[in-house]
Amino acid sequence: AELRAMGCTNRIGFFLHIPLPPPLILAAIPQHEWLIRSLFAYDLVGFQSEADVAHFARYVGEEAGAEALDPHHFRAFHRTVRAQAFPIGIDVDEFAALTHASDAMDMYHRIREEYKRRRLLLGIDRLDYSKGIPHRVRAFRELLDRYPENRGSATMIMIASPSRDDVHAYADLRQELEGLCGSINGDYGELDWMPVRYIHRMVARKRVPGLCRAAAVGLVTPLRDGMNLVAKEYVVAQDPDNPGVLVLSRFAGAAEQLKEALLVNPYDPQGMADSIQQALQMPLAERQARHQKLMARIKEHDVHWWRKAFMDALQAAAD
């Protein structure tokens, strides 16, 4: 908006990586009118999901009196803006190469040897309140309680890398998570089996694909996320002949694309436990079919597609 006020007339685009709230929640933000008016200074506003575009369309129609010229163009404040979903992807070839590199394969073989009598469930996140990590741990407790056959055979590796440890809310979250993990290990653990392996530190990126490949179930269950690329990385790292199963929050932007994952409500620990059990019991043929469809979509909409689609749309935007 400041550039426009200074007379800048070239095309300008904006991409929002995080979710856009529904209209009523967006309207609760102080000075929300000024915020959305400023977005109309752009020629193109990109979102992660179609749900975000729908929230934008409803808000500008109800709160700003915008005219919808078509599903993607809106006129208000004497400006026309194009709003469209551009779901961000990963560099599939780069991550696939990383998966087969020596560091990742070494990690894969070490983990498989260490846990050769276990089925691994893997969660990798920043320690952030939006990631739903305590909810995931509670769901794992529900799994052990409701499906006791998993006791002694299922292990959850929970990697929560440090995030803003100097903020009290994040310190409280860490304390809560450590308490939940300790409680599960104390209540269900055996001398030769710990249900939860919790790690609060960074894991080198070059080793992450090996961990993903070794896990029978990938747990990506944020309370809300713009996209979540870990979900896509987990799929790409899998062995197509014997792939693991992605359990994905329906509130992650990636859920719009990755429909063959098992979509869950992270606020429902019993429902999550049922889905995790389904993942652990899923036949090979179904796992292969789901993985094949997921991979095709992830390859089609990779990071290079995202860049090109956004820049092409910006180039086509009206002056």
Side-chain angles (χ1 to χ4, degrees):
E2 292 299 318
L3 287 170
R4 296 299 188 203
M6 294 171 64
C8 186
T9 59
N10 59 287
R11 296 181 182 90
I12 310 177
F14 173 79
F15 185 80
L16 184 68
H17 285 264
I18 64 174
L20 188 77
L24 280 177
I25 297 177
L26 186 56
I29 299 174
Q31 302 185 14
H32 59 94
E33 302 96 336
W34 168 84
L35 182 64
I36 298 301
R37 179 190 290 264
S38 296
L39 287 182
F40 274 80
Y42 294 99
D43 297 288
L44 173 66
V45 176
F47 297 100
Q48 292 276 28
S49 69
E50 295 294 345
D52 293 330
V53 176
H55 291 163
F56 179 81
R58 282 177 53 205
Y59 174 91
V60 298
E62 295 169 6
E63 299 286 340
E67 178 187 2
L69 305 179
D70 60 41
H72 295 297
H73 291 86
F74 304 89
R75 181 76 181 172
F77 312 115
H78 309 292
R79 291 276 305 172
T80 298
V81 67
R82 178 174 179 175
Q84 189 171 334
F86 301 93
I88 196 169
I90 65 172
D91 189 329
V92 175
D93 293 339
E94 184 266 346
F95 198 80
L98 204 62
T99 300
H100 293 93
S102 58
D103 288 297
M105 294 308 295
D106 177 63
M107 173 62 73
Y108 168 74
H109 290 300
R110 285 171 52 196
I111 293 294
R112 288 297 298 267
E113 177 63 26
E114 177 73 19
Y115 295 96
K116 57 187 175 184
R117 296 188 296 117
R118 318 291 185 207
R119 304 291 303 284
L120 291 183
L121 298 83
L122 176 66
I124 304 177
D125 295 283
R126 287 183 300 107
L127 186 60
D128 187 283
Y129 62 86
S130 70
K131 300 301 181 182
I133 305 174
H135 302 69
R136 186 182 311 157
V137 177
R138 292 188 185 96
F140 184 63
R141 172 182 275 278
E142 285 286 337
L143 176 79
L144 299 178
D145 184 51
R146 292 160 63 88
Y147 302 99
E149 64 269 26
N150 292 304
R151 299 176 192 176
S153 66
T155 297
M156 182 168 74
I157 297 178
M158 187 64 258
I159 299 173
S161 57
S163 175
R164 307 178 181 96
D165 281 349
D166 56 334
V167 178
H168 289 305
Y170 289 84
D172 292 344
L173 177 60
R174 178 181 179 181
Q175 186 175 11
E176 178 189 10
L177 181 57
E178 291 174 351
L180 288 169
C181 293
S183 175
I184 292 176
N185 286 338
D187 291 343
Y188 293 97
E190 303 288 348
L191 291 176
D192 63 345
W193 172 65
M194 283 292 104
V196 180
R197 301 297 296 268
Y198 166 64
I199 300 172
H200 180 61
R201 63 176 181 274
M202 294 287 293
V203 173
R205 177 170 170 77
K206 59 187 178 182
R207 297 184 179 276
V208 167
L211 276 172
C212 292
R213 196 177 182 87
V217 180
L219 299 173
V220 183
T221 57
L223 304 180
R224 195 73 175 96
D225 232 342
M227 178 53 62
N228 196 300
L229 298 181
V230 173
K232 298 184 177 183
E233 291 177 343
Y234 174 80
V235 173
V236 172
Q238 296 308 298
D239 177 358
D241 294 328
N242 186 25
V245 180
L246 175 63
V247 175
L248 177 63
S249 168
R250 60 177 295 186
F251 303 125
E256 278 192 1
Q257 293 178 294
L258 308 184
K259 298 183 184 300
E260 289 76 24
L262 296 184
L263 301 182
V264 298
N265 175 4
Y267 295 95
D268 176 11
Q270 293 183 354
M272 282 181 64
D274 292 341
S275 293
I276 294 171
Q277 177 70 359
Q278 181 185 350
L280 289 169
Q281 299 296 321
M282 189 176 292
L284 175 61
E286 183 179 352
R287 288 190 278 120
Q288 290 174 333
R290 287 175 180 264
H291 178 261
Q292 187 176 20
K293 292 178 180 178
L294 290 170
M295 273 297 294
R297 206 168 296 117
I298 291 171
K299 286 181 177 179
E300 180 182 0
H301 296 109
D302 66 358
V303 70
H304 305 294
W305 170 89
W306 172 75
R307 172 194 56 78
K308 185 176 187 304
F310 186 87
M311 296 306 296
D312 286 350
L314 181 60
Q315 184 66 33
D319 291 330

